[in-house]
């Protein structure tokens, strides 16, 4: 079946640092890939997605590229802000309305 | 738009009692709602998928008689944990799919923390 493995946290960075959160997946077929973000006290929100190989999803300065050859979907941001502090979840779908999530990575940005 | 609420946000109950958690789509109609469970420092695990007006589809290993799901309207789904025990303590999260949207557009509630004493 499909699975997702993401970088364990917590991750702590200074403001304006470069961010990478690694995510790799296993899948049968050709899944779509997602990054969700959960801010304190709120529900998960879709941050970005990519539906096929070599697609790049981007939103709010975050980017992730669907790499089929390395089965990866790493999340990157060139300059993080304190407001980016949250828990980030990588996910893929199995079709049939199912999402499979990674374990989440807690990110803290210090001013 | 696309706000999903859960009630209560947290609940503490005694072992053996039943607890009902509500999931509401506030500004859209949801033909499908999903219930997840999250353990500390672990991933969200899909428990079941519920479609309005029909029986829920449970994931393998999830006891349907213990976790009762009702999706009686296009804006409300409920999860009832029956005869709760301490091992049922967890964070329960629902999501809702807007009617007519693709399957991967799920909007998530803020979660409900259940503690069973």
């Amino acid at each position: 079946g499909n699975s997702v493995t993401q970088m364990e946290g917590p991750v702590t960075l200074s403001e304006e640092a470069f961010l990478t959160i690694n995510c790799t997946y296993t899948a049968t077929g050709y899944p779509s890939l997602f990054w969700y973000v959960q801010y304190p006290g709120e529900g998960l929100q879709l941050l970005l997605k990519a539906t096929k190989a070599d697609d790049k999803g981007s939103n709010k300065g975050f980017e992730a590229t669907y790499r089929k050859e390395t089965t990866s979907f790493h999340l990157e941001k060139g300059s993080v802000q304190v407001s980016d502090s949250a828990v980030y979840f990588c996910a893929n779908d199995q079709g049939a309305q199912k999402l499979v999530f990674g374990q989440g990575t807690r990110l803290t940005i210090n001013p | 738009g696309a706000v999903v609420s859960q009630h209560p946000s947290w609940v503490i109950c005694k072992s053996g009692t039943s607890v009902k958690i509500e999931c509401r789509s506030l500004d859209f109609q949801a033909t499908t709602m999903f219930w997840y469970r999250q353990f500390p420092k672990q991933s969200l695990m899909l428990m079941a998928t519920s479609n309005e007006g029909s029986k829920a589809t449970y994931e393998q290993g999830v006891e349907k008689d213990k976790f009762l799901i009702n999706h009686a309207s296009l804006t409300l789904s409920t999860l009832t944990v029956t005869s709760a025990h301490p091992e049922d303590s967890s964070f329960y999260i629902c999501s809702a799919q807007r009617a007519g949207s693709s399957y991967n557009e799920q909007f998530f509630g803020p979660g409900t923390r259940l503690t069973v004493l």
Side-chain angles (χ1 to χ4, degrees):
Chain A
N2 293 13
S3 68
V4 175
T5 302
Q6 67 180 96
M7 178 177 170
E8 284 199 33
V11 174
T12 302
L13 296 172
S14 298
E15 205 165 22
E16 300 183 0
F18 183 86
L19 169 70
T20 300
I21 301 178
N22 290 338
C23 172
T24 57
Y25 67 91
T26 62
T28 53
Y30 303 96
S32 294
L33 302 174
F34 309 86
W35 277 100
Y36 281 84
V37 58
Q38 185 175 31
Y39 298 105
E42 299 182 18
L44 274 73
Q45 302 173 27
L46 179 64
L47 179 61
L48 53 83
K49 68 178 182 182
T51 58
K52 61 183 186 297
D54 299 326
D55 267 4
K56 178 186 284 187
S58 61
N59 186 25
K60 299 182 180 180
F62 291 89
E63 293 182 340
T65 301
Y66 190 141
R67 302 285 188 199
K68 186 180 175 184
E69 64 276 14
T70 54
T71 62
S72 66
F73 193 55
H74 304 322
L75 182 69
E76 297 182 337
K77 186 172 185 181
S79 177
V80 293
Q81 306 300 313
V82 172
S83 57
D84 294 327
S85 297
V87 181
Y88 292 81
F89 292 90
C90 185
N92 78 25
D93 66 25
Q94 298 184 43
Q97 299 183 318
K98 294 185 179 182
L99 287 174
V100 177
F101 289 89
Q103 73 269 36
T105 301
R106 182 173 298 278
L107 173 66
T108 301
I109 307 300
N110 293 321
Chain B
V3 178
V4 176
S5 70
Q6 283 185 239
H7 177 78
S9 54
W10 59 270
V11 57
I12 302 172
C13 69
K14 292 182 179 180
S15 186
T17 61
S18 294
V19 175
K20 180 185 285 188
I21 302 171
E22 293 185 347
C23 176
R24 292 182 185 272
S25 56
L26 298 184
D27 51 1
F28 66 99
Q29 293 185 328
T31 48
T32 303
M33 289 185 171
F34 304 86
W35 286 95
Y36 297 85
R37 183 173 179 177
Q38 185 180 26
F39 293 100
K41 298 184 179 180
Q42 294 190 30
S43 177
L44 282 75
M45 302 297 296
L46 180 64
M47 299 175 64
T49 302
S50 80
N51 292 295
E52 187 265 339
S54 62
K55 290 184 178 180
T57 302
Y58 290 81
E59 294 300 300
Q60 190 173 7
V62 178
E63 299 177 58
K64 61 181 181 180
D65 294 331
K66 181 165 189 62
F67 298 99
L68 300 179
I69 292 172
N70 182 278
H71 192 166
S73 80
L74 286 172
T75 59
L76 173 65
S77 176
T78 60
L79 168 67
T80 301
V81 183
T82 61
S83 186
H85 291 282
E87 58 266 28
D88 299 323
S89 297
S90 192
F91 196 56
Y92 293 88
I93 300 171
C94 75
S95 70
Q97 177 183 319
R98 191 198 306 265
S101 71
S102 62
Y103 64 88
N104 55 31
E105 293 185 71
Q106 296 182 28
F107 300 96
F108 286 80
T112 296
R113 183 163 302 283
L114 170 63
T115 301
V116 185
L117 303 176

